[in-house]
PDB file of all heavy atoms in Angstrom:
ATOM      1  N   HIS A   1       0.802  -1.218   0.000  1.00  0.00           N
ATOM      2  CA  HIS A   1       0.000   0.000   0.000  1.00  0.00           C
ATOM      3  C   HIS A   1       0.839   1.275   0.000  1.00  0.00           C
ATOM      4  O   HIS A   1       0.403   2.300  -0.509  1.00  0.00           O
ATOM      5  CB  HIS A   1      -0.920   0.025   1.222  1.00  0.00           C
ATOM      6  CG  HIS A   1      -1.945  -1.059   1.205  1.00  0.00           C
ATOM      7  ND1 HIS A   1      -2.892  -1.178   0.219  1.00  0.00           N
ATOM      8  CD2 HIS A   1      -2.157  -2.100   2.046  1.00  0.00           C
ATOM      9  CE1 HIS A   1      -3.654  -2.219   0.463  1.00  0.00           C
ATOM     10  NE2 HIS A   1      -3.224  -2.806   1.555  1.00  0.00           N
ATOM     11  N   PHE A   2       2.039   1.215   0.609  1.00  0.00           N
ATOM     12  CA  PHE A   2       2.842   2.433   0.670  1.00  0.00           C
ATOM     13  C   PHE A   2       3.107   2.934  -0.738  1.00  0.00           C
ATOM     14  O   PHE A   2       3.566   2.170  -1.598  1.00  0.00           O
ATOM     15  CB  PHE A   2       4.179   2.170   1.388  1.00  0.00           C
ATOM     16  CG  PHE A   2       4.024   1.826   2.843  1.00  0.00           C
ATOM     17  CD1 PHE A   2       4.647   0.713   3.368  1.00  0.00           C
ATOM     18  CD2 PHE A   2       3.233   2.601   3.676  1.00  0.00           C
ATOM     19  CE1 PHE A   2       4.510   0.380   4.710  1.00  0.00           C
ATOM     20  CE2 PHE A   2       3.084   2.278   5.015  1.00  0.00           C
ATOM     21  CZ  PHE A   2       3.723   1.169   5.535  1.00  0.00           C
ATOM     22  N   PRO A   3       2.834   4.221  -1.027  1.00  0.00           N
ATOM     23  CA  PRO A   3       2.985   4.724  -2.406  1.00  0.00           C
ATOM     24  C   PRO A   3       4.363   4.484  -2.994  1.00  0.00           C
ATOM     25  O   PRO A   3       4.493   4.130  -4.163  1.00  0.00           O
ATOM     26  CB  PRO A   3       2.671   6.219  -2.264  1.00  0.00           C
ATOM     27  CG  PRO A   3       1.779   6.307  -1.062  1.00  0.00           C
ATOM     28  CD  PRO A   3       2.264   5.246  -0.131  1.00  0.00           C
ATOM     29  N   THR A   4       5.418   4.663  -2.184  1.00  0.00           N
ATOM     30  CA  THR A   4       6.768   4.487  -2.744  1.00  0.00           C
ATOM     31  C   THR A   4       7.002   3.045  -3.173  1.00  0.00           C
ATOM     32  O   THR A   4       7.588   2.777  -4.218  1.00  0.00           O
ATOM     33  CB  THR A   4       7.829   4.899  -1.717  1.00  0.00           C
ATOM     34  OG1 THR A   4       7.562   4.213  -0.477  1.00  0.00           O
ATOM     35  CG2 THR A   4       7.795   6.400  -1.478  1.00  0.00           C
ATOM     36  N   LEU A   5       6.519   2.098  -2.370  1.00  0.00           N
ATOM     37  CA  LEU A   5       6.680   0.684  -2.726  1.00  0.00           C
ATOM     38  C   LEU A   5       5.784   0.316  -3.899  1.00  0.00           C
ATOM     39  O   LEU A   5       6.182  -0.419  -4.799  1.00  0.00           O
ATOM     40  CB  LEU A   5       6.352  -0.199  -1.521  1.00  0.00           C
ATOM     41  CG  LEU A   5       7.217  -0.008  -0.265  1.00  0.00           C
ATOM     42  CD1 LEU A   5       6.736  -0.935   0.835  1.00  0.00           C
ATOM     43  CD2 LEU A   5       8.685  -0.282  -0.582  1.00  0.00           C
ATOM     44  N   ARG A   6       4.558   0.856  -3.885  1.00  0.00           N
ATOM     45  CA  ARG A   6       3.604   0.520  -4.940  1.00  0.00           C
ATOM     46  C   ARG A   6       4.088   1.028  -6.292  1.00  0.00           C
ATOM     47  O   ARG A   6       4.042   0.312  -7.298  1.00  0.00           O
ATOM     48  CB  ARG A   6       2.235   1.122  -4.599  1.00  0.00           C
ATOM     49  CG  ARG A   6       1.111   0.619  -5.491  1.00  0.00           C
ATOM     50  CD  ARG A   6      -0.240   1.074  -4.996  1.00  0.00           C
ATOM     51  NE  ARG A   6      -0.432   2.494  -5.214  1.00  0.00           N
ATOM     52  CZ  ARG A   6      -0.652   3.369  -4.241  1.00  0.00           C
ATOM     53  NH1 ARG A   6      -0.682   2.967  -2.986  1.00  0.00           N
ATOM     54  NH2 ARG A   6      -0.827   4.652  -4.506  1.00  0.00           N
ATOM     55  N   HIS A   7       4.547   2.273  -6.336  1.00  0.00           N
ATOM     56  CA  HIS A   7       4.940   2.855  -7.617  1.00  0.00           C
ATOM     57  C   HIS A   7       6.263   2.297  -8.133  1.00  0.00           C
ATOM     58  O   HIS A   7       6.566   2.421  -9.312  1.00  0.00           O
ATOM     59  CB  HIS A   7       4.996   4.377  -7.507  1.00  0.00           C
ATOM     60  CG  HIS A   7       3.637   5.000  -7.285  1.00  0.00           C
ATOM     61  ND1 HIS A   7       2.548   4.709  -8.085  1.00  0.00           N
ATOM     62  CD2 HIS A   7       3.195   5.861  -6.349  1.00  0.00           C
ATOM     63  CE1 HIS A   7       1.496   5.382  -7.649  1.00  0.00           C
ATOM     64  NE2 HIS A   7       1.857   6.077  -6.601  1.00  0.00           N
ATOM     65  N   HIS A   8       7.038   1.684  -7.244  1.00  0.00           N
ATOM     66  CA  HIS A   8       8.259   1.027  -7.711  1.00  0.00           C
ATOM     67  C   HIS A   8       7.993  -0.425  -8.128  1.00  0.00           C
ATOM     68  O   HIS A   8       8.908  -1.133  -8.524  1.00  0.00           O
ATOM     69  CB  HIS A   8       9.339   1.065  -6.625  1.00  0.00           C
ATOM     70  CG  HIS A   8      10.051   2.385  -6.532  1.00  0.00           C
ATOM     71  ND1 HIS A   8       9.594   3.427  -5.749  1.00  0.00           N
ATOM     72  CD2 HIS A   8      11.157   2.839  -7.152  1.00  0.00           C
ATOM     73  CE1 HIS A   8      10.400   4.464  -5.873  1.00  0.00           C
ATOM     74  NE2 HIS A   8      11.363   4.136  -6.719  1.00  0.00           N
ATOM     75  N   GLY A   9       6.753  -0.842  -8.021  1.00  0.00           N
ATOM     76  CA  GLY A   9       6.401  -2.181  -8.491  1.00  0.00           C
ATOM     77  C   GLY A   9       6.865  -3.306  -7.596  1.00  0.00           C
ATOM     78  O   GLY A   9       6.967  -4.451  -8.036  1.00  0.00           O
ATOM     79  N   LEU A  10       7.164  -2.998  -6.323  1.00  0.00           N
ATOM     80  CA  LEU A  10       7.619  -4.047  -5.412  1.00  0.00           C
ATOM     81  C   LEU A  10       6.480  -5.035  -5.151  1.00  0.00           C
ATOM     82  O   LEU A  10       5.358  -4.647  -4.850  1.00  0.00           O
ATOM     83  CB  LEU A  10       8.087  -3.430  -4.090  1.00  0.00           C
ATOM     84  CG  LEU A  10       8.772  -4.378  -3.110  1.00  0.00           C
ATOM     85  CD1 LEU A  10      10.063  -4.923  -3.705  1.00  0.00           C
ATOM     86  CD2 LEU A  10       9.061  -3.668  -1.795  1.00  0.00           C
ATOM     87  N   HIS A  11       6.767  -6.329  -5.270  1.00  0.00           N
ATOM     88  CA  HIS A  11       5.740  -7.337  -5.087  1.00  0.00           C
ATOM     89  C   HIS A  11       6.393  -8.688  -4.832  1.00  0.00           C
ATOM     90  O   HIS A  11       7.605  -8.840  -4.988  1.00  0.00           O
ATOM     91  CB  HIS A  11       4.829  -7.431  -6.318  1.00  0.00           C
ATOM     92  CG  HIS A  11       5.551  -7.890  -7.557  1.00  0.00           C
ATOM     93  ND1 HIS A  11       6.404  -7.083  -8.267  1.00  0.00           N
ATOM     94  CD2 HIS A  11       5.537  -9.094  -8.204  1.00  0.00           C
ATOM     95  CE1 HIS A  11       6.890  -7.754  -9.297  1.00  0.00           C
ATOM     96  NE2 HIS A  11       6.382  -8.976  -9.286  1.00  0.00           N
ATOM     97  N   SER A  12       5.577  -9.646  -4.442  1.00  0.00           N
ATOM     98  CA  SER A  12       6.061 -11.010  -4.205  1.00  0.00           C
ATOM     99  C   SER A  12       5.018 -11.998  -4.712  1.00  0.00           C
ATOM    100  O   SER A  12       3.834 -11.692  -4.792  1.00  0.00           O
ATOM    101  CB  SER A  12       6.309 -11.254  -2.708  1.00  0.00           C
ATOM    102  OG  SER A  12       7.271 -10.351  -2.199  1.00  0.00           O
ATOM    103  N   TRP A  13       5.495 -13.208  -5.023  1.00  0.00           N
ATOM    104  CA  TRP A  13       4.622 -14.295  -5.448  1.00  0.00           C
ATOM    105  C   TRP A  13       4.671 -15.400  -4.397  1.00  0.00           C
ATOM    106  O   TRP A  13       5.737 -15.833  -3.985  1.00  0.00           O
ATOM    107  CB  TRP A  13       5.069 -14.862  -6.791  1.00  0.00           C
ATOM    108  CG  TRP A  13       4.867 -13.927  -7.937  1.00  0.00           C
ATOM    109  CD1 TRP A  13       5.746 -12.997  -8.413  1.00  0.00           C
ATOM    110  CD2 TRP A  13       3.691 -13.812  -8.749  1.00  0.00           C
ATOM    111  NE1 TRP A  13       5.188 -12.319  -9.471  1.00  0.00           N
ATOM    112  CE2 TRP A  13       3.934 -12.797  -9.705  1.00  0.00           C
ATOM    113  CE3 TRP A  13       2.462 -14.473  -8.767  1.00  0.00           C
ATOM    114  CZ2 TRP A  13       2.993 -12.433 -10.661  1.00  0.00           C
ATOM    115  CZ3 TRP A  13       1.526 -14.117  -9.710  1.00  0.00           C
ATOM    116  CH2 TRP A  13       1.793 -13.105 -10.653  1.00  0.00           C
ATOM    117  N   TYR A  14       3.502 -15.865  -3.981  1.00  0.00           N
ATOM    118  CA  TYR A  14       3.400 -16.935  -3.004  1.00  0.00           C
ATOM    119  C   TYR A  14       2.714 -18.145  -3.629  1.00  0.00           C
ATOM    120  O   TYR A  14       1.781 -17.996  -4.421  1.00  0.00           O
ATOM    121  CB  TYR A  14       2.587 -16.479  -1.786  1.00  0.00           C
ATOM    122  CG  TYR A  14       3.357 -15.633  -0.806  1.00  0.00           C
ATOM    123  CD1 TYR A  14       3.580 -14.284  -1.054  1.00  0.00           C
ATOM    124  CD2 TYR A  14       3.882 -16.181   0.363  1.00  0.00           C
ATOM    125  CE1 TYR A  14       4.282 -13.499  -0.167  1.00  0.00           C
ATOM    126  CE2 TYR A  14       4.598 -15.407   1.263  1.00  0.00           C
ATOM    127  CZ  TYR A  14       4.791 -14.060   0.995  1.00  0.00           C
ATOM    128  OH  TYR A  14       5.506 -13.289   1.873  1.00  0.00           O
ATOM    129  N   ALA A  15       3.181 -19.327  -3.267  1.00  0.00           N
ATOM    130  CA  ALA A  15       2.485 -20.575  -3.579  1.00  0.00           C
ATOM    131  C   ALA A  15       1.869 -21.052  -2.272  1.00  0.00           C
ATOM    132  O   ALA A  15       2.581 -21.401  -1.328  1.00  0.00           O
ATOM    133  CB  ALA A  15       3.453 -21.606  -4.146  1.00  0.00           C
ATOM    134  N   GLU A  16       0.531 -21.037  -2.211  1.00  0.00           N
ATOM    135  CA  GLU A  16      -0.175 -21.232  -0.948  1.00  0.00           C
ATOM    136  C   GLU A  16      -1.173 -22.377  -1.073  1.00  0.00           C
ATOM    137  O   GLU A  16      -1.586 -22.764  -2.173  1.00  0.00           O
ATOM    138  CB  GLU A  16      -0.901 -19.922  -0.594  1.00  0.00           C
ATOM    139  CG  GLU A  16      -1.591 -19.900   0.749  1.00  0.00           C
ATOM    140  CD  GLU A  16      -0.605 -20.100   1.896  1.00  0.00           C
ATOM    141  OE1 GLU A  16      -0.034 -19.101   2.375  1.00  0.00           O
ATOM    142  OE2 GLU A  16      -0.418 -21.271   2.303  1.00  0.00           O
ATOM    143  N   ASN A  17      -1.530 -22.934   0.084  1.00  0.00           N
ATOM    144  CA  ASN A  17      -2.577 -23.946   0.133  1.00  0.00           C
ATOM    145  C   ASN A  17      -3.860 -23.374  -0.474  1.00  0.00           C
ATOM    146  O   ASN A  17      -4.337 -22.312  -0.061  1.00  0.00           O
ATOM    147  CB  ASN A  17      -2.821 -24.348   1.598  1.00  0.00           C
ATOM    148  CG  ASN A  17      -3.800 -25.503   1.727  1.00  0.00           C
ATOM    149  OD1 ASN A  17      -4.791 -25.576   1.016  1.00  0.00           O
ATOM    150  ND2 ASN A  17      -3.525 -26.403   2.662  1.00  0.00           N
ATOM    151  N   CYS A  18      -4.425 -24.083  -1.450  1.00  0.00           N
ATOM    152  CA  CYS A  18      -5.566 -23.542  -2.207  1.00  0.00           C
ATOM    153  C   CYS A  18      -6.824 -23.399  -1.375  1.00  0.00           C
ATOM    154  O   CYS A  18      -7.770 -22.718  -1.810  1.00  0.00           O
ATOM    155  CB  CYS A  18      -5.850 -24.427  -3.423  1.00  0.00           C
ATOM    156  SG  CYS A  18      -4.455 -24.610  -4.560  1.00  0.00           S
ATOM    157  N   TYR A  19      -6.855 -24.021  -0.192  1.00  0.00           N
ATOM    158  CA  TYR A  19      -8.052 -23.939   0.644  1.00  0.00           C
ATOM    159  C   TYR A  19      -7.959 -22.852   1.707  1.00  0.00           C
ATOM    160  O   TYR A  19      -8.901 -22.666   2.488  1.00  0.00           O
ATOM    161  CB  TYR A  19      -8.335 -25.303   1.290  1.00  0.00           C
ATOM    162  CG  TYR A  19      -8.776 -26.316   0.256  1.00  0.00           C
ATOM    163  CD1 TYR A  19      -7.849 -27.174  -0.331  1.00  0.00           C
ATOM    164  CD2 TYR A  19     -10.102 -26.379  -0.165  1.00  0.00           C
ATOM    165  CE1 TYR A  19      -8.246 -28.088  -1.310  1.00  0.00           C
ATOM    166  CE2 TYR A  19     -10.501 -27.289  -1.146  1.00  0.00           C
ATOM    167  CZ  TYR A  19      -9.569 -28.130  -1.712  1.00  0.00           C
ATOM    168  OH  TYR A  19      -9.957 -29.024  -2.685  1.00  0.00           O
ATOM    169  N   GLU A  20      -6.853 -22.122   1.732  1.00  0.00           N
ATOM    170  CA  GLU A  20      -6.769 -20.937   2.578  1.00  0.00           C
ATOM    171  C   GLU A  20      -7.695 -19.859   2.031  1.00  0.00           C
ATOM    172  O   GLU A  20      -7.927 -19.772   0.823  1.00  0.00           O
ATOM    173  CB  GLU A  20      -5.332 -20.410   2.617  1.00  0.00           C
ATOM    174  CG  GLU A  20      -4.381 -21.251   3.427  1.00  0.00           C
ATOM    175  CD  GLU A  20      -4.718 -21.207   4.908  1.00  0.00           C
ATOM    176  OE1 GLU A  20      -4.705 -20.109   5.499  1.00  0.00           O
ATOM    177  OE2 GLU A  20      -5.015 -22.282   5.478  1.00  0.00           O
ATOM    178  N   LYS A  21      -8.219 -19.009   2.896  1.00  0.00           N
ATOM    179  CA  LYS A  21      -9.092 -17.926   2.454  1.00  0.00           C
ATOM    180  C   LYS A  21      -8.279 -16.654   2.213  1.00  0.00           C
ATOM    181  O   LYS A  21      -7.390 -16.328   2.992  1.00  0.00           O
ATOM    182  CB  LYS A  21     -10.193 -17.673   3.478  1.00  0.00           C
ATOM    183  CG  LYS A  21     -11.218 -18.795   3.533  1.00  0.00           C
ATOM    184  CD  LYS A  21     -12.406 -18.429   4.393  1.00  0.00           C
ATOM    185  CE  LYS A  21     -13.480 -19.510   4.330  1.00  0.00           C
ATOM    186  NZ  LYS A  21     -14.679 -19.153   5.135  1.00  0.00           N
ATOM    187  N   SER A  22      -8.612 -15.978   1.122  1.00  0.00           N
ATOM    188  CA  SER A  22      -7.861 -14.790   0.742  1.00  0.00           C
ATOM    189  C   SER A  22      -8.727 -13.900  -0.144  1.00  0.00           C
ATOM    190  O   SER A  22      -9.717 -14.348  -0.737  1.00  0.00           O
ATOM    191  CB  SER A  22      -6.576 -15.193  -0.020  1.00  0.00           C
ATOM    192  OG  SER A  22      -5.921 -14.048  -0.533  1.00  0.00           O
ATOM    193  N   SER A  23      -8.363 -12.624  -0.232  1.00  0.00           N
ATOM    194  CA  SER A  23      -8.935 -11.762  -1.261  1.00  0.00           C
ATOM    195  C   SER A  23      -8.480 -12.292  -2.623  1.00  0.00           C
ATOM    196  O   SER A  23      -7.555 -13.101  -2.711  1.00  0.00           O
ATOM    197  CB  SER A  23      -8.457 -10.331  -1.074  1.00  0.00           C
ATOM    198  OG  SER A  23      -8.800  -9.845   0.204  1.00  0.00           O
ATOM    199  N   PHE A  24      -9.110 -11.817  -3.701  1.00  0.00           N
ATOM    200  CA  PHE A  24      -8.739 -12.337  -5.017  1.00  0.00           C
ATOM    201  C   PHE A  24      -8.996 -11.293  -6.090  1.00  0.00           C
ATOM    202  O   PHE A  24      -9.810 -10.376  -5.918  1.00  0.00           O
ATOM    203  CB  PHE A  24      -9.495 -13.638  -5.330  1.00  0.00           C
ATOM    204  CG  PHE A  24     -10.984 -13.556  -5.166  1.00  0.00           C
ATOM    205  CD1 PHE A  24     -11.822 -13.348  -6.258  1.00  0.00           C
ATOM    206  CD2 PHE A  24     -11.573 -13.697  -3.912  1.00  0.00           C
ATOM    207  CE1 PHE A  24     -13.194 -13.280  -6.107  1.00  0.00           C
ATOM    208  CE2 PHE A  24     -12.950 -13.635  -3.749  1.00  0.00           C
ATOM    209  CZ  PHE A  24     -13.762 -13.421  -4.853  1.00  0.00           C
ATOM    210  N   LEU A  25      -8.266 -11.442  -7.207  1.00  0.00           N
ATOM    211  CA  LEU A  25      -8.310 -10.485  -8.308  1.00  0.00           C
ATOM    212  C   LEU A  25      -8.985 -11.111  -9.518  1.00  0.00           C
ATOM    213  O   LEU A  25      -8.502 -12.096 -10.062  1.00  0.00           O
ATOM    214  CB  LEU A  25      -6.878 -10.046  -8.678  1.00  0.00           C
ATOM    215  CG  LEU A  25      -6.734  -9.104  -9.871  1.00  0.00           C
ATOM    216  CD1 LEU A  25      -7.364  -7.747  -9.587  1.00  0.00           C
ATOM    217  CD2 LEU A  25      -5.247  -8.932 -10.237  1.00  0.00           C
ATOM    218  N   CYS A  26     -10.111 -10.528  -9.929  1.00  0.00           N
ATOM    219  CA  CYS A  26     -10.813 -10.985 -11.128  1.00  0.00           C
ATOM    220  C   CYS A  26     -10.457 -10.102 -12.324  1.00  0.00           C
ATOM    221  O   CYS A  26     -10.170  -8.917 -12.167  1.00  0.00           O
ATOM    222  CB  CYS A  26     -12.330 -10.941 -10.930  1.00  0.00           C
ATOM    223  SG  CYS A  26     -12.968 -12.122  -9.734  1.00  0.00           S
TER     224      CYS A  26
END
């Protein structure tokens, strides 16, 4: 959420248990 991190494109990829609950992107 921090603007400096967001605008620099900082991100990570996780491989998670598919039955965990999470927000999602359609």
Side-chain angles (χ1 to χ4, degrees):
H1 295 299
F2 294 130
T4 52
L5 299 179
R6 191 172 72 240
H7 293 309
H8 281 88
L10 188 63
H11 64 285
S12 300
W13 291 90
Y14 281 79
E16 185 61 88
N17 186 320
C18 302
Y19 291 95
E20 287 293 300
K21 290 189 175 182
S22 173
S23 302
F24 52 98
L25 177 66
C26 292

